[in-house]
Amino acid sequence: QVQLVESGGGLVQAGGSLRLSCVAPRRTVSTYAMGWFRQAPGKEREFVAAISASGRNIIYADPVKGRFTISRDNTKGTVYLQMNGLKPEDTAVYYCAADLRLSSPRGQQDAYDYWGQGTQVTVST
């Protein structure tokens, strides 16, 4: 069992910034791809961003390109999601996930084996 713990969510005004953190066992973070997903009220969970084990390969969903940045610190066993220029439509519960089968990032939810409990991000107008 791999435990993932997210933090950093909160309430922010539109245009503001937040940085989410996901702490996982260092061996997991340094070996496997990690991703961020989100689920807004009444909607399906959707892909946000993912990063390879090395950090060299990154993919983003179109709605967050240019505003969000995913990064990782393997020495700390932590994956980050820096969110700038937040919009009300970014309001959601954000989940961190680990893909224990590949080191390359993927956007499909079923590629991920373990999930955190989620952290709420609310963007007000």
Side-chain angles (χ1 to χ4, degrees):
Q1 189 75 11
V2 175
Q3 186 175 14
L4 308 178
V5 181
E6 303 100 331
S7 63
L11 173 64
V12 65
Q13 287 189 329
S17 298
L18 283 174
R19 188 176 80 157
L20 305 183
S21 299
C22 172
V23 178
R26 266 185 274 183
R27 184 174 183 278
T28 297
V29 173
S30 64
T31 306
Y32 301 107
M34 302 288 292
W36 285 98
F37 292 77
R38 66 185 182 186
Q39 186 167 20
K43 294 187 177 181
E44 298 287 320
R45 189 161 58 185
E46 64 178 7
F47 169 72
V48 175
I51 186 168
S52 65
S54 67
R56 287 193 288 268
N57 296 314
I58 291 173
I59 56 174
Y60 293 100
D62 287 342
V64 307
K65 282 181 181 177
R67 299 188 299 123
F68 291 11
T69 302
I70 188 172
S71 62
R72 63 196 301 152
D73 185 338
N74 289 349
T75 64
K76 296 182 179 179
T78 304
V79 178
Y80 302 98
L81 186 67
Q82 178 68 44
M83 305 185 295
N84 299 329
L86 282 162
K87 305 175 181 180
E89 51 264 43
D90 293 318
T91 294
V93 177
Y94 283 72
Y95 297 91
C96 172
D99 178 357
L100 268 57
R101 283 166 278 179
L102 288 179
S103 61
S104 299
R106 295 185 283 180
Q108 299 88 346
Q109 293 190 50
D110 59 7
Y112 291 82
D113 303 284
Y114 290 98
W115 295 79
Q117 81 290 348
T119 185
Q120 176 71 47
V121 172
T122 303
V123 184
S124 64
T125 55

